[in-house]
Amino acid sequence: MKRIDSMWGNIFASQSDGFHNIRPLLKKIPLFANLGKGELKEIERLVHCRRYQSGEVIFWEGEPGVGMYIVHKGQVTIFKDYGKAEQRELACLEPGDFFGEMALLEDDCRSATAVALVETDLFGLIHPDLFNLFDRKPHLGVRMLSTLANMLARRLRRTNQDLQQLAKDSPGTAVADKTAP
Amino acid sequence: MSPAAKSRSVVVNLNRGFVLSTIKFGLFLLALLAAIWILSYSSVVLTPLILAVLLSILLNPLVVMLERRGLGRTAAVILILAMLLLLLTAVLTFLAPIIAQEFKTLSRLIENETPATLLEKLKLLLQQHLPWLQNPGITIQIMSWVEKSIYTLLSRSIQLLPSIIPVAIALVLIPFMTFFLLKDGRRLKKSFIQVLPNRYFEMAVNLLHKIDCQLGSYIRGQVLVSLCIGALSITALAILRVPYFILIGSAAGLANMIPYFGPIVGAIPAIILNVITKGSLGAALPVIAAFLIIRLIDDTLVSPNILGRSLEIHPLLVILVIFTGGEMFGIMGLLLCIPVTGIIKVTFSELIWNFKHYRVFRSGD
């Protein structure tokens, strides 16, 4: 039932008011902040507008990842071990937040499950589409990938700091020695 | 609102939504089935569509190459199609006099000698060089088989004549279809993904991408191999001074797309024509040797380097598919059955992989 509803929701999604004018929202995402008007137009063409019902799973942990999502409307919760006794909530994402961006860089499985908390509109950006675009517009690829690398470097630095703090708080563990340079 | 009232309202909404969604989904399925049914009965549209899909897969890397140099998609597609048209015109202008000459001499040969006199000539030649064929029983058996084959071939050729009109329609349809498939292919794919339920979204994206990659390299490889074999055959037959070497060499290149049978089908006309025109059975040997060498080059150098082991189809399946394709759709069926089997094989193997890795059948979602 939910499957049929979501299908029809998606057919008319781009026509409904929720998916108008994607560009301003894309511009707010750090990954696209450095892109020009024409480049954003190219990204806009690739974006898949998807509507998820409350409680609907966006992707499952362990499945092959194909791309990232930007929250346009609604809320998304990221879970570890979703549906199991040891289920943990990792993050709750609001409009403008994005998730699954690691799938743009690696051919690995999803590390967590994403679930729509309420009726949610998402913009999906798919790895093969994006890399086809990079193949056609290498300059755009270099700019976007360097922004992504900067974001990941910042995240890694923050994780290192957290780990070092954790090591200080709990002496005796070897966490500090294992952090990345 | 009390929890009981809330749950009642959810149930009412679900029931109304269920009826509406079922009707819409039913209509969508009906429209899809009707489109498939119409297409399957209308080979006038289906064959050009398959050819346009193959052509667009073949030309896409060239369009991407132009886009990389800063050209827009539409301009790149127009430029590539115009270049292809020019190339075809140039090749035909260069080859037309030679092919026309070959057809002229071939028709003169047919005019002077009917199939019956040609058969008589072949019979005398065989009896002259192979004394064991003096036994009238064996000779009659062989000759009746050859005669039957020639008449079947001729009747099949006559059956092809009414298909001149569809060919003319195809010549108009193919460039148009190729243009729109190249220009709007990505948008079509996106629209198709758009209608899929969320549960299948990621799987469909992954599946279509993998099919695109595998199929693209397979079809481009097949065409490149056929071009190589065609060029090698024309060169070898020209060196051996086999008559109608361009026609026979081109046919051998085209026939190479049919595994196992293709090379034999390509070699037989060259052998027969060389034997008849030179009047000696010994004339068959250099042609056989040339085709064996070409086969060796194909198996050791051309195919492994261009095709690799990307899409292997079991020999038994190849034989079944060739016979079914030939029986159902004639020559076009023979040529297209293997690429179409390739499409089906890639789709199935990727579907199985995706069903294993994505939780599409998981309940409760």
Side-chain angles (χ1 to χ4, degrees), chain A residues 51-70:
Chain A
R51 178 161 291 160
Y52 291 83
Q53 303 300 311
S54 165
E56 197 175 0
V57 173
I58 299 155
F59 56 72
W60 288 92
E61 181 180 346
E63 279 182 356
V66 290
M68 66 173 280
Y69 294 90
I70 303 156

Side-chain angles (χ1 to χ4, degrees), chain B residues 226-242:
Chain B
S226 286
L227 281 175
C228 288
I229 299 306
L232 282 171
S233 306
I234 290 174
T235 315
L237 296 177
I239 292 169
L240 293 172
R241 293 177 191 282
V242 175

Side-chain angles (χ1 to χ4, degrees), chain B residues 128-332:
Chain B
Q128 222 174 346
H129 289 85
L130 304 169
W132 52 273
L133 278 178
Q134 299 290 351
N135 179 346
I138 297 172
T139 318
I140 287 164
Q141 254 183 345
I142 291 176
M143 290 324 289
S144 69
W145 178 77
V146 172
E147 203 170 351
K148 212 172 140 191
S149 307
I150 286 177
Y151 282 109
T152 312
L153 200 71
L154 281 173
S155 62
R156 283 280 166 99
S157 312
I158 290 159
Q159 275 170 15
L160 276 176
L161 285 178
S163 64
I164 285 170
I165 295 165
V167 165
I169 296 171
L171 283 177
V172 177
L173 280 181
I174 292 169
F176 271 100
M177 284 176 167
T178 312
F179 172 77
F180 286 110
L181 282 173
L182 278 170
K183 186 182 154 291
D184 297 325
R186 281 187 218 130
R187 209 183 299 169
L188 281 173
K189 199 163 100 177
K190 203 177 154 187
S191 307
F192 169 70
I193 292 170
Q194 194 79 18
V195 300
L196 290 173
N198 291 327
R199 187 191 279 246
Y200 306 117
F201 170 62
E202 290 217 340
M203 191 192 87
V205 167
N206 201 27
L207 183 71
L208 286 175
H209 170 64
K210 286 189 174 168
I211 289 174
D212 220 19
C213 288
Q214 283 206 45
L215 211 60
S217 60
Y218 169 72
I219 289 166
R220 283 188 282 273
Q222 279 288 351
V223 171
L224 210 59
V225 169
S226 286
L227 281 175
C228 288
I229 299 306
L232 282 171
S233 306
I234 290 174
T235 315
L237 296 177
I239 292 169
L240 293 172
R241 293 177 191 282
V242 175
Y244 328 111
F245 63 92
I246 293 181
L247 276 177
I248 297 169
S250 309
L254 205 62
N256 200 69
M257 286 179 101
I258 311 165
Y260 308 111
F261 299 95
I264 302 163
V265 170
I268 287 173
I271 296 166
I272 293 177
L273 275 169
N274 214 30
V275 167
I276 290 173
T277 51
K278 291 185 180 153
S280 138
L281 270 186
L285 288 175
V287 181
I288 292 171
F291 273 97
L292 280 175
I293 293 168
I294 291 169
R295 188 85 234 127
L296 204 67
I297 294 171
D298 182 18
D299 287 345
T300 54
L301 288 173
V302 183
S303 289
N305 284 314
I306 295 174
L307 285 177
R309 295 170 67 86
S310 57
L311 193 77
E312 281 189 345
I313 303 169
H314 195 274
L316 187 69
L317 185 64
V318 169
I319 291 164
L320 280 174
V321 159
I322 287 170
F323 278 105
T324 316
E327 191 61 37
M328 287 175 77
F329 305 104
I331 291 172
M332 283 311 281

Side-chain angles (χ1 to χ4, degrees), chain A:
Chain A
M1 185 59 240
K2 200 180 277 178
R3 210 179 305 170
I4 298 170
D5 277 346
S6 75
M7 184 178 97
W8 286 97
N10 282 316
I11 291 173
F12 299 109
S14 51
Q15 292 160 18
S16 64
D17 51 4
F19 287 102
H20 271 296
N21 218 3
I22 303 171
R23 235 173 293 169
L25 189 88
L26 288 179
K27 189 78 186 159
K28 283 184 202 158
I29 311 294
L31 187 59
F32 311 118
N34 295 334
L35 302 184
K37 214 173 163 182
E39 291 169 327
L40 274 177
K41 204 175 160 188
E42 291 281 353
I43 299 289
E44 195 184 353
R45 274 192 206 135
L46 302 183
V47 162
H48 292 269
C49 305
R50 311 289 308 178
R51 178 161 291 160
Y52 291 83
Q53 303 300 311
S54 165
E56 197 175 0
V57 173
I58 299 155
F59 56 72
W60 288 92
E61 181 180 346
E63 279 182 356
V66 290
M68 66 173 280
Y69 294 90
I70 303 156
V71 184
H72 179 223
K73 226 170 77 183
Q75 273 184 324
V76 172
T77 316
I78 309 292
F79 289 103
K80 196 85 186 149
D81 301 313
Y82 181 68
K84 293 177 189 164
E86 59 271 31
Q87 172 182 309
R88 270 179 304 136
E89 187 182 316
L90 299 180
C92 188
L93 306 169
E94 302 284 333
D97 288 340
F98 58 95
F99 58 100
E101 69 279 11
M102 290 300 283
L104 294 181
L105 291 175
E106 55 176 11
D107 253 354
D108 214 349
C109 295
R110 298 285 192 191
S111 55
T113 302
V115 183
L117 205 61
V118 290
E119 189 183 87
T120 302
D121 289 348
L122 297 177
F123 296 148
L125 201 58
I126 300 309
H127 176 277
D129 291 346
L130 203 63
F131 276 74
N132 275 339
L133 176 67
F134 293 169
D135 195 26
R136 289 181 279 128
K137 316 259 174 199
H139 289 289
L140 173 66
V142 169
R143 286 173 76 172
M144 266 188 72
L145 287 176
S146 66
T147 311
L148 195 59
N150 275 332
M151 282 166 54
L152 291 174
R154 266 200 301 274
R155 203 178 286 179
L156 183 63
R157 200 171 300 130
R158 210 181 310 139
T159 312
N160 277 345
Q161 282 166 0
D162 288 350
L163 282 171
Q164 278 167 352
Q165 190 60 45
L166 196 71
K168 270 185 205 162
D169 293 347
S170 46
T173 55
V175 176
D177 303 331
K178 285 175 184 170
T179 54

